[in-house]
Amino acid sequence: MAVMTYLEAIRETLRQELRRDDRIIVYGEDVGVRGGVFRVTEGLQAEFGEQRVIDSPLAEAAIIGTAIGAAVNGLRPVPEIQFSDFIFPAINQIVQEAARIRYRSNGTFGVPMVIRAPFGGGVHGALYHSQSVEAFFAHVPGLKVVIPSTPYDAKGLLAAAIQDEDPVLYFEHKAAYRSLKGDVPDERYLIPIGKADLKRPGKHVSIITYGLMVSYALKAAETLDKEGISVEILDLRSIRPLDVEAILDTAKKTGKVLMVHEDNLTGGIGGEVSALIAEHALFYLDAPIVRLAGPDVPAMPYSPPLEHAFMVTPEKITEAARKLAKF
Amino acid sequence: MAGSDALYGLGLDTTKIETMYYYMVLSRALDERMWILNRQGKSAFVISCQGQEGAQVGVASALDPTVDWVAPYYRDLGVVLYFGMTPREIMLGQMAKAEDPSSGGRQMPAHYGHKKRHVLTGSSPVATQVAHAAGMALAFKIRSEAAVVMTSLGEGSTNQGEFHEALNFAAVHRLPLIVVVENNGFAISVPQSKEMVVADVAAKASGYGMPGIVVRGSDPLGVHQATSEARNRALKGEGPTLIEIKTYRYTPHSSDDDDRSYKTREQLQAEKDDDAIVLFRQWMLDQKMWDDEREKALNQRVRNEVDDATDYAEAAPYPDPATLWEHVYHS
């Protein structure tokens, strides 16, 4: 057991996995000599060589397209897209190819591949280094999408994603890389994809969220606890597949649901979660479902006041949960 | 026939020559039957190999189906037959039946895939398979396996970014990859002059520091030779090769197209005068390795195989609607 940052947990998991299975390869822009622009893959090329930790040309469709071919041909590729904002040139390969290959071949071919991509804002990244893109992919059957919220989960979800026989998108919040620290066991362990985690039991309001927002929600819950408002927090961990049972359980328990994500409001995961609750647990609700999300503007601006205005913060979560508790 | 002199030195014996001819004739006959089924209302969609059989068999015959893989495109009936897909398997896909090995009737016809026969599953968005083939070749290289990957596409698809990205990736990593462009002159209705400025698609290879070879599809032995050389280069670790095959499409783009609006009948006739199948047969006759009797026997054999495949596929059951939900994820 060691205390690690979120970033170190990802790096050490990659190292452990590369040691465990020589079919695993890591590649992307700058992941080799430089160890990635965030240093996530630092030291891996030195240990595993250029054949397994590959500096690729700057071309996202080629990175993902070749990873698909390598996966079909027996490797377990873990390609990195340097920023999730730059995943779009590869969307044809991810959605039309990786997601559909098992289905279109009637189960003959599969694509065991993990696409890692840093996402999220609040880091002065502006429009094209701040985006949350998970909802685009959560819409697609054939893909799995996981977003860890702690160093512990970062390890267990990454190992599970690499072990998975299907394509998994693994989104890492950039603001979490160095700000989140926690205990991470040395041994390998898997966190099942599709299982949510009840981070904090509560009685009055349920906050359903994922990724960096989990830690923000925990801060909000502490504040509200002092006011006598008991907040339950469900960390989705996977946004496809969703843990429907856990979502309905918490909705039924508190009767008040606040859905939180940094991704844009419209078409975000909050809409899907809300629909599930409306379909299956409507008469347990004591208040309308509330969605707190990134605003419906095209992307996050650079200038600090504008960036701050976009971001979902612990304060905004506190305010929304307080209001809902009093409904 | 152009290129016939190349026979000597190619290491091809009479059996191999006859095998190549058989697959060209079989491809054409199966394809013609698909159109009949389509016009009879028994098959909703056809996309053809007709006119490109010499290119396809010339390429496939230079590969080793026991170790090599192909990531073909939708016209490559000749390639997948040569790699061992049977006429029955082809017709099962054409009729969207449950037993279709490519997709269990899920994909449109001609979206081939067959793991045992080393045929990668393909899609409709063009040129995506070039990146897949490069990735497969990367795996061969990492494992130090003596095998190559051949991927093919039309000339129109070489305008896609993925074609260029994949060529560059394969060249940088010196991958055992052969990229074959079957240039039939049209991207559906758009002629090559409106698709690109260069006269030869092969010229695009120079931007990636790899050889770009031009051969004629009406010369299957020349195609075979070019492919064979590319394969040797790949196996020696010298990287990928781009082969452009100048060929023809004798049919509309698909059964839903009408090529009379963009191709004159005079041009079509000129193309048919350069038909690889006709020229190859004449060359075999000239070489005294073929005669009318053998031609008749071959045609009867092919006719029987096409009839059998048609009957088998027509009688085969459709997929059970309950299977709609299968294979979304690994189970």
Side-chain angles (χ1 to χ4, degrees), chain A residues 27-31 36-40 58 60 63-64 79-90 94 115-134 137 169-175 177-178:
Chain A
Y27 66 124
E29 294 153 22
D30 304 297
V31 301
V37 294
F38 291 101
R39 304 286 104 70
V40 174
L58 200 171
E60 287 80 7
I63 291 170
I64 302 304
E80 176 184 300
I81 297 294
Q82 195 163 76
F83 287 85
S84 67
D85 314 60
F86 306 142
I87 204 166
F88 297 102
I94 298 170
I115 301 171
R116 290 183 40 250
F119 82 105
V123 294
H124 316 306
L127 278 74
Y128 300 106
H129 296 78
S130 301
Q131 293 173 30
S132 298
V133 301
E134 61 270 20
F137 300 100
L169 289 120
Y170 180 98
F171 290 115
E172 309 161 3
H173 202 293
K174 295 187 289 291
Y177 272 154
R178 290 177 175 83

Side-chain angles (χ1 to χ4, degrees), chain B residues 151-162:
Chain B
T151 186
S152 52
L153 66 165
E155 86 289 347
S157 306
T158 67
N159 295 314
Q160 290 282 5
E162 274 144 310

